[in-house]
Amino acid sequence: MSGDAYLRLAHAAMAPDRVERLIATHGDVTRVVEWVLSGRSSVSESIAESIRVEASRRRADLAAMDVVFDTDLPDELRGGPDPPRWLFRKGAVPEGPPVAVIGSRRATAYGLSLARRIGMELALTGRVVVSGLARGVDAAAHRGIVEAGGQGIAVLGSGIDVWYPRQNRALGEQMIATGGCVISEFPPGTAPEAWRFPCRNRIIAGLSRVVVVVEAAARSGALITARQALEMGRDVFAVPGDIDRPTSAGCNLLIRDGAFPVTSIEEMSDAIDSVVGPRSGGAVQAREPLWGLVGDVPVTLDALVTALGRPPGEVLAELSLHEARGEVIIEDGTVRLGRLVAQA
Amino acid sequence: MFASVMSAALVGVEPQPVRVEAHIGRPKETFSLVGLPDTSVRESKDRVRAALASSSFPFPNRRVTVNLAPADLPKGGSAFDLAIAMGVLAAAGSIPAAATRVVAVGELALDGSVRAVPGGLAAAVVAARAGVPCVVPAAAAAEARLVRDADVRPVRNLSEAVVAALGPPAAALDHPFSPTRPAPLADLADVQDQMLARRALEIAAAGGHHLLMIGPPGCGKTMLARRLPGILPPLDGDEVVEVATAWSAADRVWEGGSARPFRAPHHSASVASVLGGGSGRIVPGEVTLASGGVLFLDELAEFPPHLLDSLRQPLEDGEVRLARRGWSVVFPAAAQLVAAANPCPCGHLGDRVVSCTCTEGGTARYRRRMSGPLLDRFDLRVVVGRPHSLQGPPGESSASVRERVVRVRGFAGDRGAVNARLTGRTIDELGVEPEAAAMLAAALASGRITGRGFDRVRRVARTIADLDGAASIGEAHVAEGLALRSGP
């Protein structure tokens, strides 16, 4: 049964290119597994050992998860270069066009706040946010979607039961609980080894129709992902930054090479519309104009009330409730987005 | 050869009877005045002498002694002239003794005419209590008629005073007070935009909360503050008398009718002029003149800190006690405080149009001057921006805002106080929903508000709930109350 063979091979947690080479050598996944089981293949003993485990036992361990094999993978992913053969998934696949938000793990406070706002904006316009649930920009973007009541997909470089960094476990579980999912090419229990992250990045790029780079250094995983996305023909957006700031160098390079510069959240949203099509029904109605106005730079309550054109009492009460949840800071008659919890 | 005529004086804001006793002794013309008169009262002698001569009454060629009783009450001003003159005439037998059964106040001019003095109101109160008519200068009649049951007899000169004192009761007037039409109050419809500040102003009016507005120069802070009296409920009859009495104590005549007073002392004003004081007689200050209405402090940070400090207690207690060696007076100080300040020394911090030229240190120092306990006493602290547009439609009119304010102020009767003065227990009894209580507790725990702020937010939330027509305080009411304290 070919499903069983897929499951056995997937649990070997091999690098994707290695898997592809084996398949090219032997013909298909079933044949690869047969060769390994009969001891004729040259794979290492540890890999052979995991392939020898019965598929039924693996299934039992995967009770709360789904495994998707190649023909069932999302079209965007399957149509691209080097698609994965399988994906482990926990949670539901959200409806809506996927948009990746990626960036540095060591982002500035500004980068974090912007990533969060972009996450919120995408959620509010009915997009699905794809990111890596890493430190920094990834987590901030995911936090943004969750806060705005949207759904996201977190693509991990480890097994989907291995949270890395560990602090993001709560956020990941929250994403699953709010209708999003966590996916990985690697089987449960896989440790977050450095070489696995570029593999993960190609899935992020492949899965998304648009990639937004918030902050990226000249040599960074985010920049590599963006380049991969460009090669796959995805539209890449980059947030411009100070030319002297290392964390923005990558974004500025992308813009030089033709990425769409993000000069305002609204403009970005409109541009994404032109790529993935107009915003769909439900989520658009849920859009709160408040979040388009509150940012990192303090805006006076007075200006906010005027811009929203709603009764001041209502706006103030709403803001204050957001403040109680730490989402915004009201100070000196101004309001701005709350600080994200410092990322270790 | 003795007669006495009642007159009146204000002790603090309490009208007190003063008995003017005149005695005519042996021939030898002297005129002495006793009973703790100050210099201005002593000058009465010469005015009375001249006024009698001008009115064709002979001044008795005898030893004349006039005593102002009670002797321990400090007396000042010229309001006793008329009573002294009538007492002397009655003691000399020049006029019937019946003419002394009145309360008389008024200053005499040398030609015998009676000049207006601020004591008209005090005279009417004393006269009404004693059940006798009061003779007052024509110009003080309006003030005197504020007092219910007073038989007010306005006069223009000494001869008229004698006739009026003997004559029949004055005809009752149709309109009990305010013949002088107060100037129309500035209307909120003139204020465009400023939605946030308007909301804060309405809440301040409805609950009697102190309000601080921070914003760049020219953004309309003063304009808004001046419109507060117009959305407050008008003074009722008793309150008009209280206000008029307070003004009278400051030697001023209240001409505002039922409109609430609005006082805006300049930041260079002395402590004595704001709180009250004076070396001899104690004169109430701006805080008393504003009692029952609005005390507006523009450029709050420019006021000397000790002045702001000394305002704290009076505004909290609603009265100001001024002590002198051996005695003290209490003036009302139940004013609603509205203050305006710039966000920084140059005034343009956060301004959309003009950029700020202040240093951070300068702004910090400026803020420190306002910070601290006084700031905490403002229930509402809002940042006001420059109006976004001056071409928009006119704002809601004062009359329509006032309807809502009056409705909420109406609850004060049952509750015993306006919302800004409610006790925590009363607020609890009126109802606080669990979510609202939890939000307050969280705000206190996280340091968003202080302990004093806690009570104040609850009071503001009560007012917001009232405006909302809600029976008990909900989460949204607390939330808005918290946001309205977010100024510096």
Side-chain angles (χ1 to χ4, degrees):
Chain A
M1 185 179 167
S2 78
D4 286 357
Y6 271 83
L7 213 47
R8 283 175 182 241
L9 193 53
H11 274 93
M14 285 184 287
D17 53 345
R18 179 104 187 269
V19 172
E20 292 306 321
R21 272 205 307 279
L22 282 171
I23 292 171
T25 310
H26 299 296
D28 61 25
V29 174
T30 317
R31 301 279 294 277
V32 173
V33 174
E34 281 169 5
W35 275 74
V36 172
L37 291 180
S38 61
R40 284 173 290 170
S41 177
S42 60
V43 296
S44 68
E45 184 48 32
S46 63
I47 290 175
E49 201 172 313
S50 38
I51 290 177
R52 279 197 289 273
V53 177
E54 289 286 335
S56 55
R57 244 188 73 197
R58 295 294 189 195
R59 277 211 181 81
D61 292 344
L62 289 172
M65 304 173 197
D66 292 302
V67 192
V68 188
F69 303 120
D70 48 13
T71 47
D72 296 331
L73 290 171
D75 293 341
E76 282 94 352
L77 199 53
R78 204 151 49 87
D82 312 327
R85 291 276 165 178
W86 45 72
L87 283 178
F88 293 85
R89 187 184 76 222
K90 198 164 184 184
V93 181
E95 295 265 335
V99 174
V101 180
I102 57 173
S104 173
R105 275 170 295 166
R106 284 181 298 273
T108 62
Y110 173 72
L112 294 178
S113 137
L114 194 65
R116 180 174 178 204
R117 281 169 70 194
I118 289 174
M120 284 179 170
E121 171 72 13
L122 291 172
L124 295 170
T125 50
R127 316 294 180 213
V128 170
V129 179
V130 182
S131 201
L133 201 65
R135 290 191 176 99
V137 167
D138 284 16
H142 283 313
R143 215 172 291 259
I145 349 164
V146 170
E147 279 169 4
Q151 283 92 43
I153 300 175
V155 186
L156 305 190
S158 54
I160 53 176
D161 57 348
V162 179
W163 301 99
Y164 178 80
R166 234 178 307 168
Q167 301 93 288
N168 287 345
R169 174 184 185 146
L171 183 56
E173 283 172 348
Q174 208 177 348
M175 283 178 66
I176 296 169
T178 53
C181 63
V182 176
I183 59 178
S184 174
E185 189 177 5
F186 304 110
T190 308
E193 289 156 282
W195 62 266
R196 296 187 192 272
F197 288 93
C199 308
R200 180 272 311 259
N201 291 348
R202 96 183 187 290
I203 297 178
I204 292 178
L207 206 53
S208 311
R209 311 245 320 252
V210 175
V211 175
V212 182
V213 189
V214 175
E215 264 184 357
R219 269 182 236 191
S220 62
L223 194 62
I224 294 167
T225 311
R227 297 240 187 257
Q228 283 175 332
L230 281 172
E231 282 163 22
M232 292 182 206
R234 308 294 189 237
D235 284 273
V236 173
F237 290 58
V239 177
D242 298 357
I243 57 173
D244 291 332
R245 197 192 290 270
T247 49
S248 283
C251 286
N252 291 342
L253 287 174
L254 285 171
I255 291 170
R256 185 199 65 190
D257 297 345
F260 188 102
V262 177
T263 50
S264 81
I265 303 267
E266 293 73 31
E267 197 187 63
M268 179 199 76
S269 242
D270 292 344
I272 290 177
D273 285 352
S274 67
V275 178
V276 301
R279 301 155 196 184
S280 55
V284 178
Q285 280 160 11
R287 181 192 164 100
E288 280 183 78
L290 188 67
W291 296 118
L293 297 165
V294 178
D296 204 36
V297 178
V299 51
T300 62
L301 291 171
D302 179 54
L304 201 60
V305 165
T306 307
L308 290 171
R310 283 165 49 201
E314 218 179 280
V315 176
L316 292 180
E318 191 182 318
L319 280 174
S320 203
L321 290 170
H322 285 305
E323 187 187 31
R325 292 194 287 269
E327 292 158 5
V328 300
I329 296 171
I330 306 178
E331 198 177 73
D332 257 21
T334 63
V335 59
R336 61 179 193 273
L337 280 182
R339 287 265 164 254
L340 292 172
V341 180
Q343 310 269 310
Chain B
M1 301 295 268
F2 167 83
S4 80
V5 178
M6 293 275 277
S7 191
L10 281 174
V11 177
V13 289
E14 188 50 34
Q16 293 286 344
V18 173
R19 180 164 294 277
V20 178
E21 298 165 345
H23 178 260
I24 310 284
R26 288 171 294 153
K28 184 187 184 207
E29 191 185 324
T30 58
F31 190 177
S32 57
L33 190 56
V34 297
L36 207 63
D38 75 2
T39 319
S40 59
V41 177
R42 231 165 284 159
E43 288 167 350
S44 284
K45 289 193 297 188
D46 300 323
R47 285 194 299 271
V48 167
R49 203 194 293 268
L52 288 184
S54 303
S55 311
S56 313
F57 289 113
F59 193 82
N61 191 13
R62 308 272 192 111
R63 180 185 289 275
V64 176
T65 308
V66 171
N67 179 38
L68 305 180
D72 60 350
L73 188 73
K75 299 160 201 80
S78 51
F80 304 118
D81 286 7
L82 187 58
I84 293 171
M86 290 173 73
V88 169
L89 287 175
S94 306
I95 60 170
T100 61
R101 281 191 287 277
V102 292
V103 174
V105 296
E107 176 184 319
L108 283 174
L110 300 186
D111 65 355
S113 57
V114 175
R115 287 204 179 115
V117 286
L121 192 68
V125 172
V126 170
R129 282 184 200 152
V132 298
C134 68
V135 175
V136 300
E143 193 190 32
R145 287 198 175 112
L146 295 175
V147 180
R148 224 174 287 145
D149 305 330
D151 178 1
V152 179
R153 303 184 179 184
V155 297
R156 278 168 303 185
N157 55 47
L158 179 55
S159 309
E160 277 188 23
V162 175
V163 175
L166 293 168
L173 280 125
D174 294 341
H175 50 102
F177 53 77
S178 179
T180 48
R181 287 248 162 267
L185 291 165
D187 198 278
L188 260 181
D190 309 338
V191 181
Q192 297 193 338
D193 217 352
Q194 302 293 17
M195 296 312 295
L196 181 70
R198 291 178 71 110
R199 172 73 175 171
L201 199 67
E202 179 173 335
I203 293 170
H209 304 284
H210 298 328
L211 167 68
L212 171 63
M213 291 182 281
I214 310 271
C219 71
K221 302 181 297 263
T222 307
M223 195 173 174
L224 283 157
R226 287 197 181 277
R227 280 153 181 78
L228 179 53
I231 60 171
L232 290 168
L235 297 168
D236 66 25
D238 290 343
E239 287 171 327
V240 173
V241 174
E242 281 166 25
V243 170
T245 311
W247 279 57
S248 198
D251 294 347
R252 308 175 71 129
V253 177
W254 171 244
E255 291 178 334
S258 61
R260 298 207 170 245
F262 179 90
R263 302 295 300 175
H266 190 253
H267 54 73
S268 63
S270 65
V271 173
S273 73
V274 174
L275 289 176
S279 46
R281 194 165 69 97
I282 298 183
V283 179
E286 293 289 346
V287 69
T288 300
L289 295 180
S291 189
V294 177
L295 180 68
F296 177 52
L297 303 182
D298 201 0
E299 307 284 2
L300 184 68
E302 304 293 337
F303 280 84
H306 66 275
L307 194 157
L308 298 179
D309 266 355
S310 51
L311 260 177
R312 247 163 45 195
Q313 207 54 47
L315 289 174
E316 199 92 327
D317 301 344
E319 57 181 41
V320 53
R321 178 177 296 274
L322 297 162
R324 289 292 177 272
R325 198 185 55 180
W327 60 293
S328 68
V329 290
V330 175
F331 290 123
Q336 184 172 355
L337 183 61
V338 176
N342 291 336
C344 65
C346 84
H348 294 289
L349 187 69
D351 195 331
R352 292 192 314 281
V353 183
V354 186
S355 56
C356 173
T357 56
C358 305
T359 60
E360 274 184 31
T363 302
R365 270 195 302 284
Y366 181 83
R367 292 288 177 89
R368 257 201 307 280
R369 262 188 276 166
M370 295 188 291
S371 72
L374 180 80
L375 222 49
D376 224 15
R377 282 175 163 77
F378 287 99
D379 295 358
L380 302 166
R381 301 202 293 258
V382 295
V383 172
V384 183
R386 218 170 259 287
H388 298 254
S389 153
L390 291 177
Q391 263 86 54
E396 189 180 8
S397 72
S398 289
S400 103
V401 177
R402 187 169 57 227
E403 272 180 36
R404 296 193 293 269
V405 171
V406 168
R407 185 175 53 79
V408 175
R409 282 257 177 158
F411 299 136
D414 286 343
R415 295 175 188 169
V418 292
N419 290 345
R421 293 178 184 277
L422 288 183
T423 59
R425 181 199 295 243
T426 311
I427 290 177
D428 284 333
E429 282 167 4
L430 290 167
V432 181
E433 284 168 18
E435 305 82 46
M439 185 167 191
L440 274 164
L444 187 63
S446 71
R448 265 173 94 187
I449 49 171
T450 62
R452 185 182 287 121
F454 179 81
D455 285 333
R456 289 184 179 259
V457 169
R458 275 159 51 100
R459 293 177 188 145
V460 171
R462 183 63 253 168
T463 304
I464 296 169
D466 288 341
L467 282 168
D468 203 16
S472 56
I473 297 174
E475 191 180 30
H477 305 136
V478 169
E480 185 179 349
L482 284 168
L484 283 169
R485 266 180 88 75
S486 65

